[in-house]
Each structure stands twice: as structure tokens, then as C-alpha cells.
């Protein structure tokens, strides 16, 4: 895999997670105050830094074939999960991911919660919510960085891609002080799901002993195949949804106006 492909893959995947974490942080910070919120963010980042520092060197010691088999399987789990949700959203069977709605919901919950001081933290609720948001989304970022970086023996490049994504999303969010609702997150998740699935198939097969024609060059046609299959699934599900809506409409009782 080229350095540019590695960077772009990590950047896109981490940008999605950064948008979700930023939505939570902004909702809590603007409602409960920034000091306890930023304390929670700092605590979450420290836990993530320790996790990457401990697991990063350990992964580089695993034999490449075993690493690719394990990483390929994990990426397939994550990638197919993301791709499934993206296909359902694109076909209308699942509501689109709405950062504005999430922001409003988190803000309302934060407004209703009572403040409780614990030690140096003035608002434990704000601290905990920001910590959980950063940690949970950050763990997925760490997983992406470690698996992609270790598999390509280039963890620094993966870290740079993840850091760039977090910085870009954070800067944009702080500039507008609102969730990044205009970011085509559902499209990004579709693309990331396709890429993770592609890498999962590619690395899992290599870890099992298969050899791809053209080596890393096989990634592009494999990605195209996954995308074509996913788009076809969207079209089939859209038609199925249309037939279901037509059937529901035909079976619905006529209104007084229609009866006349």
C-alpha cells in the first residue's frame, strides 16, 4: 500500500470518529461549562495515549502473517458493520445519521442533569460525558491507527493521518461552535466501510496464505468490487422499500375525500 493510500484511509476513518466525539464535547461544553468538559477531554486523551504507547510496539513484534490474519478479521467486522448501516441509510431503511439531532439531544440531557463536584472537577457529569465520548470514539481511532500502521510497518504515518483528521475536524468545529452537520458523514461512513471491508478481505486472505495478483495493486479492483456490490445492494433495497410503501398505501383505508 502506498503512503498516500495509507494516509487517506486513516484520515477518512478517523475524521468520522472525530465528528461524533466533537458533537458530544460541544454539546456538553456549551451547556455545562468548558473547564470540566476540557478536563474530561484531557483525561480521555491521556488514556488513549497510554493505550497506543503500550500496544503499538507490541503489535510490531507479532509475525506479519498472523497479524494480517487477525487484523483482516477485525477490519471485516468493523467494515461490514459500517457498510451495512451505510447501505441501510442510503436505501431509506434506516434514518440518516443527524449530528444536529444528536447535538440537541445531548444538550438537553446536559441541561437537565444536576451538577456534582468531585475533587478538582467542578461538574462530574460534564467531565464523565466528555471523557466517555473522547475515549469511546478515540478507541476506534486508536484501533484504526494501530492496525493499519502495524500491518504496513508504518505506525508514524498512521498517527499523522489520524492527528490531521482530528485537528481539521476540531478546528472546523471550534470555528463555528456547532456540530459539523454539513459534513457528508453518511457518505464518509459508506466510503470508510467499503475501505475497511476491502482491507479486511485483502489482509485476511494474505494472512491465510493467499497471494493477490499484482500484490498491493489488487486493492483498487477489490475496492471497486466492494463499492459496486454495495451500490447494487442500495438499489435493490430502495426498490424493495418502494414496493413496500406502495403496498402499504394500497392497503390503507380510504380517507373521506378519496371515498367521495
Amino acid at each position: 500500500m502506498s503512503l498516500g493510500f495509507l494516509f487517506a484511509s486513516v484520515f477518512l476513518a478517523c475524521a468520522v470518529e472525530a465528528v461524533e466525539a466533537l458533537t458530544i464535547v460541544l454539546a456538553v461544553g456549551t451547556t455545562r461549562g468548558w473547564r470540566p468538559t476540557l478536563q474530561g477531554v484531557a483525561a480521555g486523551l491521556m488514556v488513549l495515549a497510554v493505550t497506543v504507547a503500550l500496544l503499538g510496539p507490541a503489535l510490531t513484534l507479532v509475525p506479519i502473517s498472523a497479524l494480517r490474519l487477525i487484523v483482516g478479521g477485525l477490519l471485516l467486522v468493523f467494515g461490514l458493520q459500517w457498510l451495512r448501516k451505510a447501505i441501510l441509510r442510503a436505501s431509506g431503511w434506516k434514518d440518516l445519521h443527524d449530528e444536529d439531532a444528536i447535538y440537541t439531544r445531548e444538550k438537553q440531557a446536559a441541561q437537565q442533569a444536576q451538577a456534582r463536584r468531585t475533587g478538582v472537577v467542578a461538574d462530574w457529569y460534564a467531565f464523565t460525558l466528555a471523557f466517555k465520548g473522547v475515549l469511546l470514539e478515540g478507541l476506534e481511532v486508536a484501533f484504526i491507527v494501530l492496525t493499519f500502521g502495524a500491518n504496513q510497518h508504518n505506525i508514524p504515518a498512521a498517527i499523522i493521518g489520524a492527528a490531521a483528521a482530528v485537528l481539521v475536524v476540531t478546528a472546523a468545529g471550534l470555528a463555528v461552535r456547532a456540530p459539523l452537520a454539513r459534513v457528508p458523514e453518511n457518505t464518509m461512513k459508506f466510503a470508510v466501510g467499503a475501505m475497511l471491508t476491502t482491507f479486511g478481505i485483502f489482509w485476511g486472505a494474505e494472512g491465510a496464505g493467499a497471494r493477490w495478483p499484482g500484490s498491493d495493486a489488487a486493492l483498487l479492483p477489490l475496492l471497486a468490487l466492494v463499492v459496486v456490490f454495495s451500490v447494487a445492494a442500495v438499489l435493490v433495497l430502495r426498490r424493495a422499500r418502494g414496493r413496500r410503501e406502495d403496498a402499504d398505501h394500497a392497503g390503507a383505508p380510504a380517507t373521506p375525500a378519496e371515498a367521495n
Side-chain angles (χ1 to χ4, degrees):
M1 186 198 305
S2 68
L3 182 61
F5 203 11
L6 172 63
F7 180 88
S9 302
V10 173
F11 181 90
L12 283 176
C14 294
V16 172
E17 303 300 337
V19 169
E20 296 182 359
L22 182 65
T23 298
I24 297 173
V25 171
L26 286 175
V28 178
T30 55
T31 305
R32 308 283 298 193
W34 285 104
R35 183 176 179 180
T37 301
L38 293 179
Q39 288 175 326
V41 171
L45 291 176
M46 285 191 290
V47 172
L48 289 173
V50 172
T51 301
V52 173
L54 291 177
L55 294 181
L59 284 177
T60 59
L61 301 177
V62 179
I64 189 63
S65 58
L67 180 63
R68 286 181 173 174
L69 184 61
I70 296 171
V71 169
L74 292 174
L75 287 181
L76 270 177
V77 172
F78 278 89
L80 289 174
Q81 182 180 5
W82 281 31
L83 199 54
R84 170 183 169 274
K85 291 181 179 179
I87 290 172
L88 290 176
R89 288 189 176 111
S91 60
W93 286 94
K94 185 178 179 65
D95 292 336
L96 293 176
H97 195 82
D98 190 344
E99 290 299 331
D100 272 336
I102 296 174
Y103 178 80
T104 301
R105 185 170 63 248
E106 294 289 350
K107 191 170 183 177
Q108 290 175 348
Q111 288 173 337
Q112 296 171 1
Q114 295 182 349
R116 179 169 62 89
R117 186 179 186 89
T118 303
V120 296
V121 179
D123 188 343
W124 186 249
Y125 178 87
F127 175 90
T128 303
L129 198 58
F131 175 80
K132 288 181 178 179
V134 171
L135 182 60
L136 292 178
E137 303 299 339
L139 284 174
E140 293 199 38
V141 170
F143 169 80
I144 293 167
V145 169
L146 291 175
T147 53
F148 276 67
N151 189 68
Q152 296 303 121
H153 294 288
N154 200 345
I155 288 181
I159 292 176
I160 292 173
V166 172
L167 288 175
V168 169
V169 171
T170 302
L174 293 179
V176 299
R177 293 293 181 92
L180 300 179
R182 293 185 179 181
V183 174
E185 185 177 353
N186 294 292
T187 303
M188 289 176 64
K189 285 189 172 181
F190 193 102
V192 171
M195 286 193 298
L196 293 183
T197 301
T198 300
F199 289 130
I201 296 172
F202 185 85
W203 289 338
E206 280 198 337
R211 291 294 176 265
W212 293 95
S215 189
D216 288 353
L219 276 168
L220 290 178
L222 183 59
L223 175 60
L225 183 63
V226 172
V227 171
V228 169
F229 177 83
S230 301
V231 172
V234 170
L235 296 177
V236 170
L237 289 174
R238 278 183 181 175
R239 292 179 181 176
R241 180 173 175 79
R243 289 194 297 268
R244 178 174 176 177
E245 290 177 348
D246 291 341
D248 291 343
H249 181 73
T255 63
E258 292 173 339
N260 294 330

